[in-house]
Amino acid sequence: MVPGASAESEIVRAGGHGSGVFRDSVVRLLLPLPLNLLFFGGTAFAVLVAELVAALVSLAMVGHVPPVVWAGAFFAPLVVAPAELAVLVAVIGRMRDEMDRRRQAEQHLLEDMAGRREVEAELRSNEEKLRAMFEKSPLGMARNRVDGSFLEANPAFLGIVGYDIEDLRSLSYWDLTPVRFGQDEATQLERLEALGHYGPYEKEYIRKDGRRVPVRLSGMLATGRDGESYIWSIVEDITESQAVERALMAKTEELARSNADLEQFAFIASHDLREPLRMVSAYMGMLERRFGPVVGDEGAEYIAYAKEGAQRMDQLVLDLLEYSRVGRMEEPLEPVPLGEVVDGVVANLSPAIAQYGASVECRSPLPAIPAVRGEMAQLLQNLIGNAVKYREPSRPLRVVVSAVRDGEYWQISVADNGIGISPEFSERIFRIFQRLHTRDCFEGTGIGLAICKRIVERHGGRIWVNSVPGEGSTFTFTLPE
């Protein structure tokens, strides 16, 4: 439809005196002009033309009609022409308004149609994405009526229950639910009605082949375009996860039995294994006292070797027992002031510290951290005790304990000026039974640093050493705040 067509027809009808076509053409020419110019300019032109015509007519009437008639003919255009032109201008104005309104309406319609097309395209795109997600989701998805009948399901759900979509639409979720889960199902439906969602909860589905499959479900209540309520459900097959959980429980039970066996072994090691060693050591002492002069120097040396071996074996059993105990005692963590722990260690080692003229100092205030107090004492006593043991005889031993904050951890360092450690042994020394020196040089079983490593890792930290041979070592471990 051409904008403004009805307005132009109105002008033709309003000005129809047998000259509709001519006036229609004139209106088309005058339409773009301003209304003020049309009215005043048109009035002047109409009056001028009308008066010329009226003057000629009036002159022709003179002497033939009364004066009042030819006078009226002369002056009539002064009134009629402006009036007709005013009507014409008013019609043109209405036509312009009508055309503007129609143009605006058409523009709005075009904009609305474009916007609607964009919305429809976006809706189609989103629907395609949702449909693709529905079809390709690894989790089962299904839509049911409130009475439980199935409307649609994705391939993953069909794989779980073993039905095709046509068979499934003739069933409800009650047909797939074993009787023993009926009460749980009713409880979840009550929750769905009250809250608009249910789950997650676990139950079983009855497959088409009769097998039971464990599943985990959750879902929500939604309303469709038709106003009907539907239940959307997400279903996960938890067969593998349950198998993993059962295997984990079995491993946990096995580990608990192993720990119990280890506890029993520790008891045996601390009592039954040490008893023969004590007997060997005691009888070697008796032999030495009673038959020392008889066996001579060589026999006395053999007896001394036997006693020393029994004592080393006894100490080794004790160290193994101590190593096995680390982390097995379920003691709660509590704030442990490490400064107090260092003071206690220094008191325990005071005879050796005094004997060798050593000094132990805390360079910075040590923090209180969540830990097992006894294990912290054992850790620091092993590190400070090693510093005393592996001192450099040519200079006084100096041990410095310090702490530095590193994010959520504390770095605790025990530095000494002892004999040091070669860098290639910086990891080996933390392994059990690893010694860098013979027993003739230094006593020990090679378990102390392994115990330190086990304590630190049990508390969620790590331990390492930086050392320069001949200058000293710095053992550093981290503990969470």
Side-chain angles (χ1 to χ4, degrees):
M1 184 176 185
V2 178
S6 62
E8 293 177 2
S9 298
E10 181 181 353
I11 294 174
V12 171
R13 289 194 302 271
H17 292 289
S19 56
V21 176
F22 173 74
R23 183 166 294 185
D24 186 31
S25 300
V26 172
V27 167
R28 289 180 181 277
L29 293 174
L30 298 179
L31 191 59
L33 299 177
L35 294 180
N36 291 338
L37 179 61
L38 282 176
F39 181 73
F40 292 108
T43 299
F45 177 77
V47 169
L48 177 62
V49 174
E51 282 301 320
L52 289 175
V53 175
L56 294 175
V57 173
S58 298
L59 289 175
M61 291 181 180
V62 173
H64 299 285
V65 297
V68 67
V69 175
W70 64 260
F74 180 79
F75 292 104
L78 296 176
V79 176
V80 175
E84 286 189 352
L85 191 60
V87 172
L88 179 61
V89 170
V91 171
I92 291 175
R94 288 197 302 272
M95 179 179 175
R96 285 184 176 178
D97 294 340
E98 178 69 15
M99 292 176 64
D100 288 342
R101 284 193 297 270
R102 294 198 176 200
R103 277 195 296 268
Q104 292 176 1
E106 290 178 357
Q107 182 64 29
H108 291 161
L109 179 60
L110 292 174
E111 292 176 355
D112 291 343
M113 291 177 63
R116 183 173 181 177
R117 284 194 294 269
E118 291 179 1
V119 170
E120 290 176 349
E122 185 175 357
L123 288 175
R124 283 195 299 271
S125 175
N126 290 338
E127 186 175 354
E128 290 171 359
K129 292 177 182 177
L130 290 174
R131 176 55 58 179
M133 182 180 69
F134 177 78
E135 295 293 335
K136 297 179 181 180
S137 172
L139 298 177
M141 302 177 71
R143 182 166 66 100
N144 301 75
R145 291 191 179 94
V146 177
D147 63 3
S149 58
F150 284 95
L151 294 172
E152 59 180 324
N154 69 346
F157 185 90
L158 298 176
I160 292 173
V161 298
Y163 288 92
D164 59 36
I165 188 61
E166 296 303 327
D167 292 338
L168 190 66
R169 283 175 177 158
S170 64
L171 303 174
S172 80
Y173 49 68
W174 293 108
D175 297 317
L176 303 182
T177 302
V179 176
R180 65 190 182 94
F181 292 100
Q183 185 59 45
D184 293 340
E185 193 82 356
T187 301
Q188 293 298 326
L189 289 175
E190 291 175 0
R191 183 180 181 187
L192 176 67
E193 184 177 356
L195 303 177
H197 62 86
Y198 73 89
Y201 78 107
E202 296 179 4
K203 70 170 190 178
E204 291 178 351
Y205 269 155
I206 304 174
R207 286 176 50 86
K208 185 177 181 178
D209 58 12
R211 292 190 297 111
R212 306 291 179 91
V213 55
V215 293
R216 181 181 295 113
L217 298 93
S218 59
M220 61 173 289
L221 195 64
T223 303
R225 295 179 181 177
D226 55 2
E228 185 177 355
S229 294
Y230 302 98
I231 302 173
W232 276 103
S233 300
I234 297 177
V235 182
E236 179 185 4
D237 184 348
I238 57 174
T239 303
E240 292 186 5
S241 63
Q242 283 193 350
V244 171
E245 186 176 350
R246 286 193 296 269
L248 181 60
M249 291 179 62
K251 287 291 184 182
T252 302
E253 293 174 357
E254 181 181 352
L255 182 60
R257 288 193 298 270
S258 177
N259 284 339
D261 294 342
L262 187 58
E263 290 280 357
Q264 185 66 21
F265 167 77
F267 177 80
I268 293 173
S270 62
H271 294 280
D272 298 351
L273 291 181
R274 294 184 65 206
E275 184 62 27
L277 294 174
R278 284 194 293 266
M279 290 182 63
V280 170
S281 182
Y283 278 102
M284 287 297 101
M286 292 175 61
L287 283 173
E288 184 179 22
R289 288 192 300 273
R290 288 191 179 185
F291 302 104
V294 177
V295 298
D297 293 339
E298 186 176 3
E301 184 178 359
Y302 293 158
I303 291 173
Y305 287 153
K307 287 177 62 178
E308 182 184 358
Q311 291 170 356
R312 285 203 313 270
M313 188 64 181
D314 185 60
Q315 185 61 46
L316 183 61
V317 169
L318 287 175
D319 288 346
L320 279 172
L321 178 61
E322 196 66 36
Y323 182 80
S324 68
R325 283 176 176 170
V326 173
R328 289 192 295 108
M329 305 301 291
E330 295 297 330
E331 299 181 47
L333 302 182
E334 59 181 5
V336 177
L338 294 183
E340 295 180 7
V341 175
V342 171
D343 291 341
V345 169
V346 171
N348 292 339
L349 298 176
S350 58
I353 291 174
Q355 178 182 355
Y356 300 116
S359 65
V360 179
E361 63 173 308
C362 293
R363 178 165 293 175
S364 57
L366 301 183
I369 57 173
V372 177
R373 189 182 188 97
E375 292 184 358
M376 289 297 102
Q378 187 177 14
L379 169 63
L380 289 168
Q381 180 149 332
N382 283 354
L383 294 178
I384 297 175
N386 279 353
V388 174
K389 180 190 297 187
Y390 299 105
R391 66 194 179 280
E392 172 56 56
S394 63
R395 55 177 176 265
L397 174 65
R398 186 184 179 205
V399 181
V400 177
V401 183
S402 60
V404 176
R405 183 75 172 274
D406 183 15
E408 298 180 354
Y409 289 81
W410 282 97
Q411 281 192 4
I412 314 299
S413 298
V414 178
D416 63 61
N417 60 343
I419 61 175
I421 302 169
S422 297
E424 61 265 28
F425 302 125
S426 60
E427 294 184 5
R428 174 183 166 187
I429 59 175
F430 293 105
R431 300 172 191 164
I432 193 169
F433 299 136
Q434 296 298 312
R435 292 176 52 87
L436 304 183
H437 307 278
T438 64
R439 292 185 182 88
D440 295 337
C441 298
F442 299 99
E443 297 181 354
T445 59
I447 296 180
L449 288 178
I451 291 176
C452 291
K453 185 174 186 288
R454 191 163 183 175
I455 291 173
V456 170
E457 290 179 349
R458 176 183 181 262
H459 284 78
R462 63 187 187 94
I463 185 171
W464 67 93
V465 63
N466 295 314
S467 182
V468 177
E471 296 184 10
S473 304
T474 300
F475 285 85
T476 305
F477 59 91
T478 61
L479 294 173
E481 184 179 13

